[in-house]
């Protein structure tokens, strides 16, 4: 038990870092869901693009890291926009379910694309600031500060976007009632485009900052964890993602740590934490922790 | 006079007969040089695309080069060898389809394949049913479960590598408390099973054992490292493929954990050194001798000369350095053709299978192959060496 408490600072730091990534991905799920009603299963692949583009620009092309990171996020956002125009827009009259299934197709396509250009098991994306620092009971990489800082910045910016800008308010209006939004002159299809661009940018940022390693296969895990976080926080509740991401990130470190160190059960299947949490939340609080009761729409 | 005439006649006759037979011989020789005898057909199924592409491509290169060289030197007793290569796209169903086509339409005497464990198992089912010898280049432990009559393999498996690593920990590092971190994919799980089963026979104790997932983030893997460190191990044994082992090496350095790091043959590649950077130094892992053959084998020894020949031929043909997978392909075709040379070019699949099983002391790129009725893996822990990364270079470890 003592060992467990001694490890706790490290668990909390690790959980925070992962939680921040889940927040970024989960916010992407939520933005698309609120403005279109679509659950975008290619969200995890945006993170893959973010990581692989950052590698290509910073390592293969030799650009300075800040520039490479910005360009990688922009390129990923462009892919998000292109996906919306090429695939989602033509399906706008076909119903939400059709579009959701189409996103599964996009996810497979993106992953294959990643594998064609970056076939190796992993690529090292340079850290913004290499090195680590030690806190009492925990060693944390400097990248951790960037992860937390970027997440806080994104959350604050999104808050202002949704509450203070015309485009943000229009997107929220779409989520409340699409038909009414059309009637008051909001261009719903343009909002759908914006939401994909924004979600792709967030996913891309999570991918390039996440870990020093990117690979074509990383999208699935990012997608599953981000989706879980968004459901736990309340699907469609943009800031529920913050709670959902942190809860998932922390529980994922604390529960296996407790099982291993205190009970001596060796558990290699940490992924089960996310699955169990998802099932428990869906059974007992389907609207999510901060839910808006939007789940019935699905 | 009359007598002389008869004698001259007889001599002339003998000379004519001799000339005739010489001409006939020469004719035969000409035929043999052009290898117009019926070809021996061998089927090959590889993963040239899909997830196992990095394995299948070099395997194909090696097999084609081997056959080209063999045929140029007269084939097998004058019969050329013909390989029919099919791509399974790393997919079990496609591998099964490909092997059925080879067996039904191409009339092959043996098959090689595949690169990965899943497709190999699909092929095994067909080859076992139809009684065709199969030599695979995949290392999954479950391939050698059940009926192994028709299947043989070339790469070292978790069993040989695990024993080699445990032997190093117990005899060179001389420590006892082992913490195991493994990838929960098939490669890592095979290693974990071997390590947990064999540790006690080397006088070692596995004090902690944790599985991580291939795409886990650095922080997630750090938690596993934190967990196993609470058991106060004296060495960390990591069984996985990139990038997990690189993250663990980096984190151990960041956290100032100074106990030895022993890896698996899954990191016997340049990519690990690139990913782990500085943190790769000091990491020790088991690998085939081919990886650093100039440093661990005596020039002039059969193994050294065999690998050197392969290295030079491969470099010349493809302009690329050899790698483990090219070696597995080279060994697979070597094992079949050597057996064919012994048993004869017109052997039936049954005769060929029996002869492959009698393979003994055959020098290949991965080591010295010895098959028996009980063992179709062929290699032993002695065919591996422990390699240490020093200044980002591979060097022989310990000893």
């Amino acid at each position: 038990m003592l060992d467990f408490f001694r490890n706790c600072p490290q668990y909390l730091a690790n959980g925070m870092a992962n939680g921040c990534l889940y927040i970024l991905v989960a916010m992407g799920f939520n933005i698309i869901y609120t403005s279109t009603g679509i659950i975008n299963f290619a969200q995890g692949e945006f993170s893959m693009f973010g990581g692989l583009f950052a590698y290509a620009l910073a390592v293969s092309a030799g650009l300075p890291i800040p520039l490479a990171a910005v360009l990688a996020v922009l390129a990923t956002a462009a892919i998000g926009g292109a996906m919306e125009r090429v695939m989602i827009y033509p399906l706008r009259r076909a119903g939400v379910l059709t579009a959701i299934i189409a996103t599964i197709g996009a996810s497979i396509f993106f992953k294959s694309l990643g594998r064609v250009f970056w076939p190796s098991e992993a690529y090292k994306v340079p850290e913004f600031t290499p090195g680590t620092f030690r806190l009492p009971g925990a060693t944390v990489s400097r990248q951790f500060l960037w992860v937390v800082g970027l997440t806080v910045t994104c959350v604050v910016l999104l808050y202002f976007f949704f509450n203070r800008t015309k485009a943000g308010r229009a997107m929220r209006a779409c989520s409340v009632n699409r038909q009414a939004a059309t009637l008051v002159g909001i261009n719903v299809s343009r909002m759908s485009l914006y939401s994909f661009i924004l979600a792709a940018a967030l996913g891309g940022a999570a991918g390039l900052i996440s870990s020093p390693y990117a690979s074509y296969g990383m999208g699935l895990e990012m997608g599953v964890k981000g989706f879980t976080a968004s459901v736990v926080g309340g699907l469609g509740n943009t800031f529920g993602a913050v709670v959902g991401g942190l809860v998932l990130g922390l529980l994922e470190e604390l529960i296996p740590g407790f099982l291993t160190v205190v009970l001596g059960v060796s558990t290699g299947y940490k992924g089960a934490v996310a699955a169990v949490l998802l099932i428990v939340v869906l059974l007992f609080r389907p609207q999510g922790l901060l839910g808006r009761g939007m789940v019935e729409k699905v | 006079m009359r007598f002389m005439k008869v004698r001259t006649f007889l001599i002339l006759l003998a000379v004519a007969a001799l000339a005739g037979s010489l001409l006939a011989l020469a004719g035969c020789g000409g035929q043999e040089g052009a290898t117009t005898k019926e070809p021996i057909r061998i089927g090959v199924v590889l993963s040239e695309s899909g997830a196992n592409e990095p394995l299948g491509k070099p395997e194909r290169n090696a097999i084609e080069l081997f056959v080209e060289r063999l045929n140029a030197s007269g084939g097998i007793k004058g019969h050329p060898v013909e390989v029919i290569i099919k791509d399974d796209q790393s997919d079990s169903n496609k591998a099964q389809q490909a092997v059925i086509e080879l067996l039904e339409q191409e009339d092959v005497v043996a098959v090689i394949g595949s690169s990965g464990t899943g497709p190999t198992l699909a092929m095994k089912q067909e080859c076992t049913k139809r009684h065709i010898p199969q030599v695979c280049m995949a290392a999954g432990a479950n391939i050698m479960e059940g009926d192994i009559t028709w299947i043989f393999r070339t790469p070292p498996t978790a069993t040989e590598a695990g024993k080699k690593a445990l032997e190093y920990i117990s005899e060179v590092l001389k420590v006892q408390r082992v913490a195991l971190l493994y990838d929960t994919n098939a490669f890592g799980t095979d290693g974990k099973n071997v390590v947990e089963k064999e540790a006690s026979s080397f006088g070692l104790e596995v004090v902690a054992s944790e599985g991580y997932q291939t795409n886990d983030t650095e922080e997630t893997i750090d938690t596993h490292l934190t967990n196993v460190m609470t058991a106060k191990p004296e060495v960390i044994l990591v069984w996985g493929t990139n990038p997990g082992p690189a993250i663990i090496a980096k984190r151990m350095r960041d956290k100032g954990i100074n106990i030895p790091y022993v890896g698996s043959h899954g990191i016997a590649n340049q990519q690990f050194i690139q990913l782990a950077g500085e943190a790769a130094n000091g990491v020790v892992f088991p690998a085939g001798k081919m990886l650093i053959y100039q440093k661990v084998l005596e020039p002039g020894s059969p193994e050294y000369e065999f690998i050197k020949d392969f290295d030079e031929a491969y470099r010349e043909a493809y302009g690329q350095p050899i790698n483990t997978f090219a070696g597995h392909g080279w060994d697979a075709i070597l094992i079949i053709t050597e057996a064919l040379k012994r048993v004869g070019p017109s052997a039936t699949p049954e005769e060929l299978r029996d002869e492959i099983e009698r393979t003994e002391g055959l020098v290949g790129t991965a080591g010295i192959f010895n098959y028996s009725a009980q063992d179709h893996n062929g290699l032993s822990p002695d065919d591996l060496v422990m390699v240490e990364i020093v200044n980002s270079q591979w060097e022989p470890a310990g000893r």
Side-chain angles (χ1 to χ4, degrees):
Chain A
M1 203 60 172
L2 195 65
D3 278 335
F4 176 72
F5 286 119
R6 204 173 289 143
N7 286 346
C8 262
Q10 185 74 61
Y11 294 147
L12 293 176
N14 293 343
M16 276 268 284
N18 282 336
C20 284
L21 305 176
Y22 301 160
I23 290 171
L24 292 172
V25 180
M27 285 196 304
F29 271 107
N30 283 338
I31 290 168
I32 291 179
Y33 179 76
T34 48
S35 40
T36 65
I38 294 170
I39 292 168
N40 172 27
F41 283 101
Q43 184 66 32
E45 271 64 32
F46 291 151
S47 300
M48 171 203 81
F49 278 129
L52 291 176
F53 285 159
Y55 168 83
L57 293 165
V59 180
S60 308
L63 296 180
I65 296 157
L67 182 62
V70 170
L71 288 178
V73 170
L74 290 179
T76 312
I79 286 184
M83 172 184 168
E84 202 277 342
R85 282 293 104 163
V86 172
M87 211 182 73
I88 305 297
Y89 180 70
L91 288 174
R92 66 194 178 285
R93 295 190 216 293
V96 165
L97 192 62
T98 314
I100 292 177
I101 292 168
T103 66
I104 298 176
S107 147
I108 297 168
F109 173 69
F110 288 156
K111 185 174 169 180
S112 310
L113 211 60
R115 188 158 78 192
V116 168
F117 291 105
W118 294 277
S120 284
E121 293 156 318
Y123 295 92
K124 191 173 192 332
V125 182
E127 291 118 322
F128 291 13
T129 44
T132 53
F133 58 91
R134 289 190 195 169
L135 302 172
T139 306
V140 187
S141 64
R142 296 205 179 156
Q143 188 77 357
F144 174 77
L145 297 183
W146 286 99
V147 171
V148 175
L150 180 83
T151 308
V152 172
T153 313
C154 285
V155 170
V156 171
L157 285 179
L158 278 178
Y159 178 82
F160 278 104
F161 177 73
F162 281 120
N163 291 291
R164 296 278 190 276
T165 67
K166 213 169 166 185
R169 287 189 189 149
M171 274 169 84
R172 278 172 61 211
C174 290
S175 79
V176 177
N177 187 330
R178 218 160 307 163
Q179 219 159 9
T182 317
L183 285 175
V184 298
I186 293 170
N187 187 339
V188 176
S189 103
R190 181 170 299 163
M191 292 306 129
S192 161
L193 175 65
Y194 288 170
S195 72
F196 271 84
I197 292 177
L198 207 53
L202 286 169
L208 70 90
I209 205 166
S210 68
S211 67
Y213 303 101
S215 70
Y216 67 80
M218 69 191 275
L220 178 67
E221 180 149 330
M222 282 293 233
V224 168
K225 298 291 170 62
F227 178 69
T228 307
S230 72
V231 170
V232 168
L235 193 58
N237 180 338
T238 301
F239 299 102
V242 176
V243 176
L246 282 180
V247 166
L248 176 62
L250 292 176
L251 286 184
E252 256 192 345
E253 307 306 316
L254 290 171
I255 291 176
F258 183 81
L259 287 177
T260 315
V261 176
V262 181
L263 303 181
V265 188
S266 175
T267 162
Y269 299 92
K270 183 150 74 169
V273 173
V276 171
L277 188 64
L278 186 62
I279 291 168
V280 168
V281 167
L282 285 176
L283 279 178
F284 298 105
R285 203 175 155 78
Q287 70 274 37
L289 296 178
L290 302 188
R292 269 187 190 170
M294 309 254 320
V295 166
E296 298 85 350
K297 263 173 71 177
V298 177
Chain B
M1 208 46 186
R2 178 177 267 255
F3 176 66
M4 277 298 285
K5 255 185 175 171
V6 171
R7 212 172 70 168
T8 318
F9 177 68
L10 279 175
I11 290 169
L12 281 174
L13 203 70
V15 168
L18 193 69
S21 66
L22 275 174
L23 269 175
L25 261 176
C28 258
Q31 207 179 2
E32 199 162 296
T35 53
T36 49
K37 286 187 182 170
E38 196 164 310
I40 301 167
R41 297 158 78 84
I42 297 172
V44 180
V45 181
L46 301 164
S47 307
E48 282 184 82
S49 52
N52 289 331
E53 183 186 316
L55 287 64
K57 283 248 169 85
E59 286 164 357
R60 181 192 177 120
N61 286 347
I63 292 171
E64 285 187 327
L65 178 62
F66 186 98
V67 171
E68 196 185 303
R69 278 164 42 115
L70 179 71
N71 288 341
S73 65
I76 293 169
K77 302 211 167 87
H79 292 262
V81 171
E82 186 187 337
V83 284
I84 302 116
I85 303 182
K86 288 186 185 286
D87 177 17
D88 65 24
Q89 299 167 29
S90 310
D91 180 310
S92 300
N93 292 327
K94 297 214 172 70
Q96 189 167 10
Q97 192 53 44
V99 77
I100 291 173
E101 279 171 33
L102 287 172
L103 300 182
E104 288 186 349
Q105 295 163 16
E106 305 288 354
D107 192 29
V108 296
V109 72
V111 294
I112 294 174
S114 175
S115 316
T117 299
T120 299
L121 285 170
M123 290 174 66
K124 179 188 171 190
Q125 198 185 332
E126 294 303 318
C127 291
T128 306
K129 198 163 73 191
R130 292 157 196 256
H131 294 190
I132 298 286
Q134 174 191 1
V135 180
C136 76
M137 297 161 292
N142 48 353
I143 292 173
M144 290 299 167
E145 282 167 11
D147 185 358
I148 60 161
T149 316
W150 296 92
I151 188 153
F152 299 86
R153 81 162 122 213
T154 58
T157 66
T159 311
E160 289 87 48
K163 285 181 179 169
K164 189 76 191 174
L166 292 172
E167 179 195 276
Y168 174 82
I169 292 171
S170 119
E171 288 175 15
V172 180
L173 298 179
K174 295 191 166 53
V175 294
Q176 272 168 7
R177 300 171 61 82
V178 181
L180 175 66
L181 285 167
Y182 61 94
D183 196 323
T184 49
N185 65 12
F187 180 86
T189 316
D190 277 355
K192 169 204 174 234
N193 293 338
V194 171
V195 169
E196 290 186 347
K197 181 166 152 254
E198 300 287 340
S200 57
S201 59
F202 289 89
L204 304 176
E205 189 192 351
V206 179
V207 292
S209 167
E210 290 244 342
Y212 60 86
Q213 275 154 351
T214 311
N215 287 314
D216 274 345
T217 61
E218 186 171 331
E219 279 75 20
T220 305
I221 284 183
D222 180 82
T223 298
H224 290 299
L225 185 60
T226 308
N227 289 346
V228 298
M229 285 311 293
T230 53
K232 308 208 166 32
E234 293 167 306
V235 58
I236 294 221
L237 179 55
V238 181
W239 216 271
T241 43
N242 292 319
I247 297 178
I248 294 168
K250 179 176 173 292
R251 269 286 167 169
M252 281 176 68
R253 169 163 289 223
D254 288 349
K255 292 161 82 96
I257 298 173
N258 280 323
I259 60 176
Y261 176 124
V262 177
S264 71
H265 53 312
I267 59 171
N269 45 55
Q270 281 295 332
Q271 207 196 2
F272 174 77
I273 296 177
Q274 283 161 17
L275 292 175
E278 270 290 290
N281 293 329
V283 169
V284 177
F285 59 89
K289 290 174 185 164
M290 193 180 87
L291 194 69
I292 47 170
Y293 75 95
Q294 289 104 331
K295 292 172 183 165
V296 290
L297 292 172
E298 281 293 314
S301 69
E303 280 181 277
Y304 180 93
E305 294 304 325
F306 185 86
I307 295 171
K308 183 162 171 276
D309 177 45
F310 167 49
D311 190 3
E312 287 168 358
Y314 194 89
R315 248 177 234 276
E316 195 192 309
Y318 301 109
Q320 287 166 2
I322 46 173
N323 66 29
T324 331
F325 306 113
H328 298 332
W330 195 263
D331 290 343
I333 187 79
L334 171 82
I335 284 161
I336 294 177
T337 51
E338 285 299 315
L340 276 169
K341 278 181 190 167
R342 296 194 301 266
V343 74
S346 54
T348 63
E350 283 81 8
E351 289 165 347
L352 179 57
R353 188 215 80 89
D354 294 348
E355 195 56 47
I356 293 176
E357 197 168 75
R358 280 192 284 269
T359 297
E360 211 185 302
L362 176 64
V363 174
T365 67
I368 298 170
F369 288 91
N370 291 298
Y371 291 119
S372 68
Q374 293 78 39
D375 177 24
H376 282 193
N377 283 324
L379 297 170
S380 77
D382 293 336
D383 288 312
L384 301 170
V385 282
M386 293 306 287
V387 178
E388 180 170 2
I389 300 172
V390 181
N391 294 326
S392 303
Q393 299 291 323
W394 292 313
E395 299 290 343
R399 300 269 152 188

